[in-house]
């Protein structure tokens, strides 16, 4: 059988990959049996997971369009994962038709598929890099070119820092990225929170121990601390559906059950 164009050679199809498992939650087709098996177990344990992932994408759309409306035309999507409905460049260009986007991911499948998606788009680039090494990420030509004009850049770290262990120090990653961002730049961040469903946190972390990256859900206090050096915008760090909903009635009575916290900050 001919290898599919989006599957690079030497792709490990036996270890569940967190980007492809996320694709499963969203109903995507760019995943393998091992990814689907883990996603199935996770949803059996935590039935709200697909809804949580959709709420994370909805937060992305609201945050990107808000920042584009504030005049930002450059976006750095770190841990972008597999392309799905409403990629950042399409969302941003509703407001800023000339928006530039650099997508960054460590997963070769996500990178290959993203490159196929934007192959004919001169304002987009895709970089394979590990966010745990910000120096090498920032040195990649496409990222350096995005930052070179010293215009404000929106750095997006959505549902990705909870795949960084405490030993790898997610706060260090954000500090090093922040130091490279021009004044007026923004950080949009979402992260799995321990408070929403504390009964499921350890079980879920144990399940992800067999995936390509372990899962470390964090407290609200720890997530707020990731915005050090940024001025948090209203309403601060809140549960995913609470961040500037288009329809306040859509938030529902128990947003904490979605167990994802999100916020947007500006670099003074």
């Amino acid at each position: 059988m001919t290898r599919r164009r989006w599957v690079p050679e030497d792709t490990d199809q036996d270890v569940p990959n967190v980007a492809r498992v996320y694709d499963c939650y969203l109903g995507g087709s760019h995943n393998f049996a091992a990814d689907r098996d883990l996603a199935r177990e996770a949803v059996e344990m935590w039935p709200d997971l697909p809804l949580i992932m959709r709420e994370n994408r909805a937060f992305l759309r609201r945050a990107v369009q808000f920042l584009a409306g504030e005049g930002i035309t450059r976006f750095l999507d770190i841990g972008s994962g597999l392309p799905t409905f409403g990629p950042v460049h399409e969302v941003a260009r509703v407001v800023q038709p000339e928006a530039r986007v650099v997508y960054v991911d460590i997963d070769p499948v996500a990178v290959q598929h993203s490159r196929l998606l934007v192959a004919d788009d001169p304002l987009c680039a895709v970089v394979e890099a590990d966010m745990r090494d910000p120096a090498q990420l920032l040195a990649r030509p496409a990222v350096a070119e995005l930052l070179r004009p010293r215009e404000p850049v929106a750095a997006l770290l959505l549902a990705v820092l909870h795949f960084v262990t405490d030993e790898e120090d997610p706060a260090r990653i954000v500090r090093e990225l922040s130091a490279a961002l021009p004044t007026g730049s923004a950080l949009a961040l979402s992260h799995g929170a321990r408070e929403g469903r504390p009964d499921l946190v350890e079980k879920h972390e144990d399940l992800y121990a067999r995936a390509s990256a372990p899962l470390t859900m964090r407290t609200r206090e720890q997530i707020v601390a990731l915005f050090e050096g940024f001025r948090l915008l209203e309403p601060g760090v809140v549960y995913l559906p609470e961040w500037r909903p288009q329809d306040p009635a859509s938030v529902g009575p128990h947003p904490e059950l979605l167990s994802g916290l999100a916020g947007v900050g500006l670099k003074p």
Side-chain angles (χ1 to χ4, degrees):
M1 182 180 295
T2 303
R3 182 172 56 87
R4 287 167 287 187
R5 292 178 63 206
W6 55 269
V7 182
E9 293 182 8
D10 302 323
T11 296
D12 188 341
Q13 300 186 23
D14 298 321
V15 175
N17 177 278
V18 295
R20 300 195 299 265
V21 172
Y22 187 96
D23 183 61
C24 293
Y25 295 142
L26 292 173
S29 59
H30 295 89
N31 47 69
F32 305 120
D35 311 311
R36 294 189 288 274
D37 287 344
L38 190 143
R40 190 178 305 113
E41 289 184 53
V43 172
E44 288 174 357
M45 177 191 301
W46 197 334
D48 285 336
L49 281 175
L51 175 60
I52 293 170
M53 305 311 160
R54 290 196 296 271
E55 287 290 349
N56 187 66
R57 295 299 300 182
F59 164 69
L60 177 150
R61 290 191 291 272
R62 296 195 303 274
V64 167
Q65 288 202 346
F66 168 78
L67 293 170
E70 293 295 297
I72 291 181
T73 62
R74 293 170 180 263
F75 294 82
L76 180 61
D77 188 3
I78 300 174
S80 52
L82 283 149
T84 187
F85 175 76
V88 171
H89 65 282
E90 291 183 2
V91 175
R93 287 175 187 169
V94 172
V95 182
Q96 296 284 356
E98 299 300 314
R100 295 178 175 271
V101 180
V102 175
Y103 295 98
V104 180
D105 207 278
I106 192 174
D107 175 40
V109 171
V111 169
Q112 176 72 1
H113 191 56
S114 297
R115 285 175 175 161
L116 291 171
L117 177 69
V118 302
D120 298 322
D121 191 328
L123 299 180
C124 288
V126 183
V127 170
E128 184 174 344
D130 188 340
M131 68 176 175
R132 293 168 296 187
D133 186 351
Q136 61 86 24
L137 187 160
L138 292 164
R140 295 299 175 89
V143 178
E145 182 181 353
L146 188 76
L147 296 169
R148 189 172 295 120
R150 306 309 295 170
E151 297 176 5
V153 173
L156 312 178
L157 289 166
L158 302 185
V160 66
L161 287 176
H162 48 229
F163 294 117
V164 175
T165 65
D166 290 339
E167 292 73 22
E168 292 164 338
D169 195 356
R172 169 193 61 84
I173 293 171
V174 176
R175 285 196 303 271
E176 292 186 30
L177 290 171
S178 173
L181 295 176
T183 298
S185 292
L187 171 67
L189 185 153
S190 64
H191 195 296
R194 301 186 73 86
E195 289 88 348
R197 289 296 307 270
D199 56 318
L200 293 176
V201 168
E202 290 188 8
K203 294 177 184 178
H204 203 57
E205 289 178 338
D206 288 345
L207 182 62
Y208 266 80
R210 75 172 199 248
S212 58
L215 176 68
T216 304
M217 298 178 74
R218 296 186 167 91
T219 65
R220 175 186 290 270
E221 182 180 10
Q222 290 172 312
I223 296 168
V224 170
L226 294 172
F227 284 94
E228 182 180 358
F230 290 86
R231 176 174 61 83
L232 270 171
L233 301 180
E234 292 292 336
V237 174
V238 294
Y239 289 105
L240 290 164
E242 295 181 307
W243 197 89
R244 304 193 179 207
Q246 293 178 333
D247 177 10
S250 68
V251 173
H254 295 290
E256 73 280 1
L257 296 181
L258 297 180
S259 288
L261 288 169
V264 175
L266 294 182
K267 179 178 178 178

